[in-house]
Amino acid sequence: MLAMVLPLVIIPILLVGGITGYIANYHAYLGITQTSKDDLEHMTSFTIDLLQAHHQQFQVYKKDKERIFRQEMAALATLSYNLVEAQYRQFAAGRTDRNSALQEARNALKKVNVGDTGYIYAMTGDGTLKVHIAREGENVYDEKDESGRYFIREMCQKARASKPGEVLYIIYPWRNATLGDQKARNKIVAYRYLREWDWIIAAGGYLDETYDNASFERSSFELLKEKIKQKKVGETGYIFCMDSKGTFTVHPTGEGKNFIHASSEEGKKFIREMCEKKSGWIRYSWRNRGEPQPRMKIVRYDYFAPWDWIIAVGSYEDEFYSEANKIKWRIVAWMGLLTVIVGCISTGLVFLAARVFTGPINRMLETIRQVKRGRLDVRVEINSDDELGELGSAFNRMTAIIQRNREMEATLAQQGKMASLGVLSSGVAHEINNPLGVILGYAAYLEGKMSEDDPGYKYIHEIKRESKRCKKIVQDLLNYARTPKPVLAETDLNALLVQIADFAANHTDMHDVKVVMDLDKGLPAVMLDGDQMRQVAINLILNAGAAMGRGGLLKISTSLEDEYAVIRFCDNGSGVAQENIEKIFEPFFTTKEKGTGLGLAITRQIVEQHHGRISIESEPGIGTTITVQLPLQSEEF
């Protein structure tokens, strides 16, 4: 019976085992080949997605920088316009002759800096340069940019047709041979028109100089390349990138070299073929140094148009089939083992086989169902190196890629929300700042009226501290806020100064400072914007308080001089060095560690918008006197 049963059991097992082993091995090769190709495909797509994300991120960054640069150019053009207009008013008022006023205007414009290579220039409506760093006096009306456009003509025509106060822009390609430019760079110019002198005042700079984080972009790009290089394909495969001319841009060893003429062992120009077709699959034989014979390599490559790059992912075919070869020898070993012990444990083997083969499949199906329901964090448990293990590994990689792509989408969406929030914050910042100042002032006032034992003292102290923090946040949002057009009304200047001095006395910088008021009671009402003049006075008072220590004395006086209401702020503080006197009203110039340099610049802008004048006299160690002159009657503009 045993002799009859064993052959009936063993022979079918051997036949079935042999056939099954052959079929399993064959399909394993096919499955592994397809899976490996899918891996190469996915790796190629992932690399392109990575490059695309990097490209889009810095495109957004550059557009944002360009927008800010346009605003800066507009601010500089307006500042320069105001400088020239101030000289014109000096001439129109008869306080200077035309030639002196023109020369002062030229000198003022030449002192304004615009980035590394930008500058301020002025020309008449017929294209004659009145202010220029190199070509002053030339007529450039027929000047062409690198594209052949008569951009000076266009500027002159648009300027003469512009509305009062309008800021115009033009962008054109320009190659400055003096700077060593090898190719044209886009230049942006903001300009305004002063009709009284027929002057076009322009501020220009190169767009690529606005991307002041070029080192950051380079380092990010290097990190991106390192990330690509670190991605391994199989045991020795890797990702490499090259341009359409065959120069490797990302490669473990050949980066920066051109391999357009590289040939495989059979003479196939595989790099040239990849550059010509740009997308597809390619197989070729390749032998690395130290290898006795060449091996077949398969590469999936695709085209990344924004950078004119070809992204390639390759690996050796024999590395694909190493797992399949392991499976084949395992099948042979198991068949031998089964032949020896099949007679006594055949029933157990059937049960064991059911558990071995159906258990992983059921677990994989359950995992697939969870992924289908949106659980991208679950993974197939890999307990073997057979085809199911390979399939599970491929599924896990696919799920990881999907999860990573979703996370990238969420990140981009969050960045978009943050950009929108930034725009919204800049819009509401003006409305928040003034109430915060009032809250802070009265909180300080109440704090000074209470003793530390008062139950409400700590709450007032908290209000003051948190208001200061909010005010600092709001102030950071208002770095480049434009001063609005003044709304003029008859105002009692003396009463306004008394109110401002009382309010400013509660500021921490003024606690050790004595304020003396010497106001001209005969001073008539002045046409001015009360809110803006309040900002001027507070800026000057707090600046004086910050410059004085304990025992400081600030004298605020008013007088009437030649149809001008004159306000003087005299302090006995540390004073201003003579070399900084001319710079003190320039935007972004400050001697404070935490100052923005905009306070006095905005103060001068407000005074000049009221057709007034502001000047400073200072001696280090003795004190400073700032004089503000306001016309009693001012025209609306």
Side-chain angles (χ1 to χ4, degrees):
M1 183 63 69
L2 184 60
M4 293 177 60
V5 171
L6 287 178
L8 291 175
V9 174
I10 293 174
I11 291 174
I13 289 177
L14 292 175
L15 291 175
V16 172
I19 295 173
T20 303
Y22 172 79
I23 295 174
N25 191 60
Y26 174 75
H27 283 284
Y29 272 85
L30 292 180
I32 290 173
T33 300
Q34 186 59 46
T35 301
S36 300
K37 284 190 173 182
D38 290 343
D39 286 345
L40 297 181
E41 185 78 43
H42 294 156
M43 193 68 75
T44 305
S45 300
F46 167 75
T47 305
I48 289 179
D49 290 342
L50 199 64
L51 295 178
Q52 186 67 36
H54 182 87
H55 174 71
Q56 291 177 351
Q57 177 186 359
F58 278 94
Q59 288 301 312
V60 171
Y61 165 77
K62 289 180 180 179
K63 288 181 181 178
D64 187 53
K65 282 293 184 179
E66 180 178 338
R67 177 182 60 80
I68 295 174
F69 188 61
R70 289 173 68 95
Q71 294 174 355
E72 291 176 350
M73 289 297 101
L76 286 171
T78 300
L79 173 64
S80 304
Y81 177 91
N82 291 337
L83 292 174
V84 177
E85 187 183 40
Q87 293 302 322
Y88 169 76
R89 288 200 300 269
Q90 292 282 342
F91 163 69
R95 287 186 285 274
T96 183
D97 59 88
R98 179 183 176 87
N99 290 335
S100 298
L102 288 172
Q103 186 59 42
E104 287 296 324
R106 293 189 187 98
N107 294 337
L109 292 184
K110 291 179 179 179
K111 294 178 181 179
V112 181
N113 295 322
V114 185
D116 296 331
T117 60
Y119 53 86
I120 304 294
Y121 64 92
M123 61 184 174
T124 59
D126 63 355
T128 300
L129 291 171
K130 293 297 184 181
V131 179
H132 195 274
I133 59 174
R135 303 178 64 183
E136 197 166 291
E138 294 186 29
N139 187 289
V140 293
Y141 191 75
D142 294 327
E143 194 82 22
K144 296 181 183 179
D145 61 20
E146 298 298 323
S147 64
R149 180 175 59 159
Y150 290 96
F151 67 99
I152 296 294
R153 291 185 186 179
E154 183 178 331
M155 289 176 64
C156 294
Q157 293 167 1
K158 288 185 177 180
R160 287 181 166 176
S162 66
K163 300 176 182 179
E166 183 179 3
V167 179
L168 302 173
Y169 299 91
I170 186 171
I171 299 177
Y172 56 89
W174 189 256
R175 186 178 69 86
N176 194 329
T178 305
L179 298 177
D181 291 345
Q182 299 298 321
K183 60 180 181 179
R185 297 187 290 165
N186 281 334
K187 191 171 187 179
I188 183 170
V189 175
Y191 57 99
R192 289 185 61 177
Y193 183 53
L194 181 64
R195 299 182 182 278
E196 290 80 3
W197 278 350
D198 187 30
W199 270 30
I200 301 169
I201 298 99
Y206 289 103
L207 279 177
D208 56 4
E209 292 180 1
T210 67
Y211 313 139
D212 51 359
N213 278 342
S215 60
F216 165 70
E217 183 174 0
R218 287 193 297 270
S219 63
S220 298
F221 183 65
E222 290 300 323
L223 289 175
L224 175 67
K225 292 203 298 184
E226 288 301 318
K227 187 180 295 185
I228 293 174
K229 291 178 184 178
Q230 291 172 3
K231 294 292 182 182
K232 294 298 182 182
V233 184
E235 295 181 7
T236 59
Y238 52 85
I239 303 172
F240 64 94
C241 307
M242 59 184 174
D243 60 24
S244 60
K245 298 184 183 300
T247 300
F248 283 178
T249 54
V250 178
H251 193 274
T253 59
E255 197 167 290
K257 300 178 182 178
N258 188 283
F259 289 89
I260 192 69
H261 300 298
S263 301
S264 64
E265 290 294 318
E266 64 272 15
K268 184 177 184 179
K269 302 286 186 180
F270 59 95
I271 294 294
R272 183 184 299 277
E273 180 179 336
M274 293 168 65
C275 292
E276 292 173 353
K277 294 185 177 179
K278 298 188 183 301
S279 180
W281 293 87
I282 189 170
R283 291 177 73 248
Y284 57 91
S285 59
W286 187 257
R287 182 173 61 182
N288 290 317
R289 287 184 179 179
E291 293 182 344
Q293 58 185 7
R295 295 186 292 165
M296 290 304 298
K297 194 170 188 179
I298 183 169
V299 175
R300 171 70 174 104
Y301 60 98
D302 207 346
Y303 185 59
F304 184 61
W307 293 352
D308 189 30
W309 277 19
I310 296 168
I311 315 303
V313 182
S315 182
Y316 290 105
E317 288 186 348
D318 56 0
E319 294 179 3
F320 291 170
Y321 304 133
S322 61
E323 293 299 322
N325 292 329
K326 293 178 183 179
I327 293 173
K328 178 176 65 177
W329 290 111
R330 285 197 188 101
I331 292 174
V332 172
W334 276 105
M335 284 180 60
L337 181 62
L338 286 174
T339 302
V340 174
I341 63 175
V342 68
C344 59
I345 58 172
S346 57
T347 303
L349 286 176
V350 172
F351 178 77
L352 180 61
R355 292 187 58 186
V356 168
F357 286 104
T358 61
I361 293 175
N362 290 331
R363 289 194 297 271
M364 186 179 296
L365 288 174
E366 179 59 29
T367 303
I368 292 173
R369 294 189 187 99
Q370 292 187 50
V371 171
K372 185 178 180 181
R373 290 194 294 267
R375 289 286 308 279
L376 295 177
D377 57 329
V378 298
R379 296 290 183 269
V380 175
E381 183 179 354
I382 308 298
N383 296 319
S384 65
D385 295 329
D386 56 10
E387 62 269 28
L388 288 178
E390 287 291 327
L391 183 59
S393 298
F395 182 81
N396 286 342
R397 285 192 292 271
M398 179 188 70
T399 306
I401 291 172
I402 294 174
Q403 184 180 17
R404 187 160 51 247
N405 288 343
R406 287 196 178 179
E407 290 173 354
M408 291 172 64
E409 291 174 1
T411 301
L412 291 176
Q414 181 65 18
Q415 290 175 353
K417 291 179 182 178
M418 291 303 293
S420 300
L421 180 60
V423 174
L424 177 63
S425 298
S426 64
V428 301
H430 283 289
E431 302 300 328
I432 296 175
N433 200 18
N434 289 336
L436 280 177
V438 175
I439 293 171
L440 185 60
Y442 282 109
Y445 176 79
L446 291 175
E447 183 184 37
K449 294 293 184 180
M450 292 182 179
S451 67
E452 294 186 3
D453 298 331
D454 193 304
Y457 181 84
K458 67 177 182 178
Y459 299 112
I460 294 299
H461 186 73
E462 286 295 316
I463 291 173
K464 180 180 175 183
R465 183 169 63 84
E466 292 302 316
S467 298
K468 282 184 176 180
R469 189 166 67 87
C470 293
K471 190 172 180 68
K472 178 62 172 62
I473 295 172
V474 172
Q475 189 61 40
D476 290 339
L477 295 175
L478 291 174
N479 280 339
Y480 293 100
R482 292 186 61 188
T483 303
K485 178 182 177 182
V487 179
L488 305 180
E490 287 192 355
T491 304
D492 185 343
L493 188 57
N494 289 338
L496 181 64
L497 289 172
V498 171
Q499 178 188 9
I500 295 170
D502 290 341
F503 170 74
N506 294 306
H507 196 276
T508 54
D509 289 341
M510 302 296 293
H511 284 176
D512 298 323
V513 175
K514 181 180 179 181
V515 180
V516 177
M517 308 291 290
D518 182 15
L519 307 179
D520 185 352
K521 296 182 179 180
L523 189 68
V526 183
M527 292 295 294
L528 52 80
D529 186 317
D531 289 336
Q532 290 190 0
M533 200 50 57
R534 183 177 289 106
Q535 182 180 358
V536 169
I538 288 176
N539 279 346
L540 296 178
I541 290 173
L542 295 184
N543 278 353
M548 295 183 290
R550 183 179 296 276
L553 175 64
L554 173 63
K555 181 179 179 182
I556 304 175
S557 62
T558 59
S559 61
L560 180 63
E561 300 176 7
D562 298 331
E563 298 300 321
Y564 280 86
V566 179
I567 314 170
R568 288 186 173 86
F569 300 84
C570 302
D571 66 66
N572 61 351
S574 58
V576 181
Q578 291 300 313
E579 61 268 18
N580 294 332
I581 289 291
E582 295 184 359
K583 305 176 184 177
I584 201 71
F585 293 109
E586 293 181 2
F588 308 112
F589 177 82
T590 181
T591 58
K592 300 178 182 179
E593 291 183 0
K594 298 182 179 180
T596 63
L598 290 173
L600 288 179
I602 293 174
T603 296
R604 181 174 68 176
Q605 188 175 9
I606 292 174
V607 172
E608 290 179 349
Q609 285 185 340
H610 284 76
H611 297 286
R613 299 187 293 269
I614 184 169
S615 60
I616 181 172
E617 297 177 4
S618 183
E619 188 171 345
I622 296 180
T624 301
T625 298
I626 295 183
T627 303
V628 177
Q629 296 175 285
L630 299 172
L632 298 179
Q633 298 293 329
S634 181
E635 297 180 0
E636 288 279 2
F637 61 95

